[in-house]
Amino acid sequence: MYTSTSLSETLRHRRQKLAGLIDVPAVLWSGGSSSRNFPANTFPFRANSHFLYFGGIPLQNAAIRLEGGNLQLFIDEPHPSSALWHGETPTREEIATRIGADDARPMAELEDYLENAATVSVQDAATWTQQSQLLDRWILPKNQLEGIDLDLAKAIVCLRIIHDEAALVELRKAAVVSVEAHKKGMAETGKSRREAEVRAAMEAVIMGQNMTTAYTSIVTVHGEVLHNGHYYNALQPGDLLLVDVGAETETGWAADITRTWPVSGKFSPTQKDIYDIVLAAHDACIEKIVPGVEYGDIHLVAAMIIAEGLVDLGILQGKPEDLVKMDIHALFFPHGIGHLLGLDVHDMEDLGDLAGYEEGRKRSDRFGLSYLRLNRPLRAGMLVTIEPGFYQVPGILHDPKIRDQYQYIVNWERLQKFADVRGIRIEDDVLVTESGSEVLTAALPNQANDIEDLVMSEKTKQTKQNLS
Ligand code: GLY
Ligand code: MN
Ligand code: MN
């Protein structure tokens, strides 16, 4: 389906396709970074993803103008003093050659080329203000897009949602490195005292490849906190460690993997029971992936398997179909089954639901469906995550109203026996192919016994070394 191309050819193909979709010029800014306490000490810079898609490299304070398949680059030459602090950097002409620009100019000239131009807003306030000032209208973020900006956003979605070969090369690189990071995290757990040490070992693998993390890593014994960003907890033998860590390549392409493993190297019987339900949901969802299938239906497959599993364990009472209709599964699986993945971990969510939701569809206000981030029929070339989970969120399960309302559906006493399962998630990155799917992160085991082996292997080695 795909053939190999160089960066400038890839970018040319992308803008030619864009030219087929809109008939106004598109101007995309890369954005800038802001400084902390003095100008040279800046927060990490990340170029805007739409810019990266058509501009190819993470330039700072640059813009590109795309019209009829042509590319104009706007960027200032580095200040003469810059070489002292930052070394030699490529000139405007060198950058233009690398990305195949037809024309390259200083930023100050951009305003002469903005007539009737469409754009989408960048991430940082300073550049966003500049966009609005230069275009002489408010550039509205997310769901407030309108007019030619909305047309441009729709055209961008149309292209970015189906990955081309160059994108897939990068996405596979991110997946490989993320798999290695997870294996390292499993191996290091036995010798780590705190979550922070496991995180450090994993991120070292990613940084060692000159990549960065695609999102704030989650490495926590409190997996019930869905986006837990703390790493100070001690690792105790009975804990499960929920680890959601993904790499981002130098040109911005992401992976997103979660595994949950026992700190001791051995799941307790209760942990294993729930783990196997989540894994069954994960496997059944991936099994269903094929072009044409509704992603919302895949979410419901996971909901049903989780409900069935919890009924089998005696935690829920009732018919699984009825429980899912009543959103009971969402007491334990409150998020959607996944999302689009690409240049961003929740790809294109800066455009609201424009990418995630098929035209004419709106988010449901049902508890069990409102966090569904993707609601479209799948198509070959889409990359999605599949990430079912089970969580005991105190804010949900300790709510007296909920406990009372569901007293005949949830066996609260039985649930207490599973107190050592605070949070489990299993997440893989799945490419939709012409005939089904390919799991880009399949090299990372997810069966409970394989995970136990990976966690134990280093521990066993250590013990042997200590004994010899
Ligand atoms: N890593 C964030 C997520 O899985 O959605
Ligand atoms: Mn995810
Ligand atoms: Mn994730």
Side-chain angles (χ1 to χ4, degrees):
M1 177 157 73
Y2 302 104
T3 56
S4 97
T5 51
S6 69
L7 174 68
S8 61
E9 271 178 74
T10 297
L11 299 179
R12 186 166 53 80
H13 281 304
R14 289 179 184 166
R15 55 181 190 270
Q16 279 172 345
K17 283 194 191 159
L18 183 72
L21 295 171
I22 53 165
D23 50 16
V24 292
V27 178
L28 299 169
W29 275 258
S30 66
S33 67
S34 51
S35 59
R36 289 173 50 168
N37 62 327
F38 69 102
N41 188 13
T42 55
F43 288 104
F45 170 70
R46 169 52 160 75
N48 179 270
S49 294
H50 306 300
F51 175 91
L52 279 175
Y53 189 76
F54 294 101
I57 46 179
L59 302 170
Q60 242 182 94
N61 300 316
I64 49 176
R65 182 178 179 279
L66 312 161
E67 186 179 24
N70 283 339
L71 168 62
Q72 264 181 307
L73 170 70
F74 294 86
I75 191 168
D76 290 333
E77 296 286 15
H79 190 272
S81 70
S82 159
L84 171 64
W85 302 100
H86 306 293
E88 291 299 327
T89 40
T91 63
R92 183 189 300 127
E93 280 311 318
E94 284 165 346
I95 297 168
T97 303
R98 193 164 158 220
I99 66 174
D102 301 283
D103 182 35
R105 297 170 181 275
M107 259 314 224
E109 292 185 25
L110 176 61
E111 62 184 324
D112 301 333
Y113 291 88
L114 292 177
E115 199 179 325
N116 203 24
T119 195
V120 286
S121 72
V122 290
Q123 60 284 358
D124 67 286
T127 311
W128 178 70
T129 307
Q130 189 189 76
Q131 287 181 288
S132 297
Q133 279 168 351
L134 286 176
L135 288 164
D136 199 21
R137 63 175 191 275
W138 282 111
I139 301 306
L140 302 169
K142 290 202 166 181
N143 300 331
Q144 306 162 67
L145 284 161
E146 55 190 27
I148 53 173
D149 297 338
L150 179 60
D151 294 341
L152 170 62
K154 284 182 180 173
I156 289 175
V157 167
C158 186
L159 297 180
R160 282 185 54 190
I161 203 165
I162 305 293
H163 293 300
D164 57 26
E165 189 221 358
L168 285 171
V169 167
E170 290 292 305
L171 289 161
R172 285 179 199 281
K173 279 192 220 163
V176 167
V177 172
S178 305
V179 165
E180 288 314 307
H182 276 256
K183 285 186 179 163
K184 182 72 174 171
M186 290 178 199
E188 288 293 310
T189 299
K191 14 179 171 138
S192 301
R193 285 154 303 161
R194 284 193 303 156
E195 296 158 338
E197 291 169 47
V198 178
R199 175 200 181 197
M202 295 182 71
E203 293 193 3
V205 172
I206 293 170
M207 287 172 190
Q209 296 297 324
N210 205 21
M211 294 190 185
T212 182
T213 47
Y215 51 91
T216 305
S217 298
I218 299 169
V219 182
T220 182
V221 293
H222 281 285
E224 77 279 13
V225 181
L226 293 184
H227 282 171
N228 202 335
H230 302 294
Y231 315 98
Y232 45 61
N233 289 303
L235 304 180
Q236 308 288 356
D239 285 335
L240 286 178
L241 191 62
L242 187 153
V243 176
D244 187 344
V245 173
E248 175 176 304
T249 68
E250 287 174 73
T251 50
W253 297 87
D256 183 11
I257 305 182
T258 308
R259 288 292 184 270
T260 308
W261 61 79
V263 166
S264 66
K266 188 89 193 133
F267 287 97
S268 74
T270 40
Q271 290 170 344
K272 170 92 168 39
D273 281 344
I274 304 277
Y275 187 90
D276 283 343
I277 294 173
V278 177
L279 185 61
H282 164 279
D283 291 353
C285 289
I286 293 177
E287 187 75 17
K288 283 260 174 305
I289 291 185
V290 65
V293 76
E294 287 284 349
Y295 191 77
D297 289 345
I298 289 175
H299 174 79
L300 291 175
V301 167
M304 185 66 99
I305 289 178
I306 289 168
E308 277 166 4
L310 297 182
V311 168
D312 289 346
L313 289 181
I315 293 172
L316 294 181
Q317 295 156 130
K319 275 208 215 140
E321 307 85 79
D322 299 340
L323 297 174
V324 170
K325 274 189 202 131
M326 291 162 67
D327 291 331
I328 303 297
H329 65 281
L331 296 174
F332 302 97
F333 170 43
H335 58 73
I337 190 63
H339 48 83
L340 293 166
L341 182 61
L343 275 165
D344 279 302
V345 67
H346 288 184
D347 209 25
M348 296 181 276
E349 283 189 17
D350 58 316
L351 304 175
D353 280 338
L354 205 61
Y357 275 60
E358 188 80 353
E359 190 139 16
R361 296 185 189 178
K362 291 237 172 316
R363 284 215 187 203
S364 163
D365 51 14
R366 263 177 64 179
F367 176 52
L369 295 175
S370 56
Y371 290 113
L372 190 59
R373 297 172 182 278
L374 178 58
N375 186 349
R376 281 181 179 271
L378 295 176
R379 287 162 54 204
M382 282 184 178
L383 181 62
V384 299
T385 67
I386 289 296
E387 50 180 303
F390 171 95
Y391 314 89
Q392 297 207 51
V393 182
I396 299 175
L397 302 181
H398 293 178
D399 179 342
K401 253 177 44 204
I402 288 185
R403 290 185 83 87
D404 191 48
Q405 188 178 352
Y406 299 122
Q407 57 180 310
Y408 301 112
I409 294 176
V410 181
N411 184 336
W412 298 109
E413 213 178 295
R414 175 82 182 132
L415 181 63
Q416 265 186 348
K417 301 256 180 314
F418 294 82
D420 67 345
V421 192
R422 292 192 286 265
I424 291 178
R425 178 163 66 256
I426 307 170
E427 175 174 29
D428 278 297
D429 303 345
V430 187
L431 177 68
V432 185
T433 63
E434 302 287 353
S435 58
S437 72
E438 179 192 346
V439 182
L440 300 192
T441 47
L444 186 64
N446 53 27
Q447 297 288 329
N449 57 339
D450 293 335
I451 294 221
E452 288 178 340
D453 287 349
L454 281 168
V455 178
M456 288 299 262
S457 62
E458 198 66 25
K459 252 183 125 160
T460 317
K461 254 195 260 163
Q462 290 278 310
T463 314
K464 278 191 189 147
Q465 267 167 12
N466 293 344
L467 290 175
S468 63

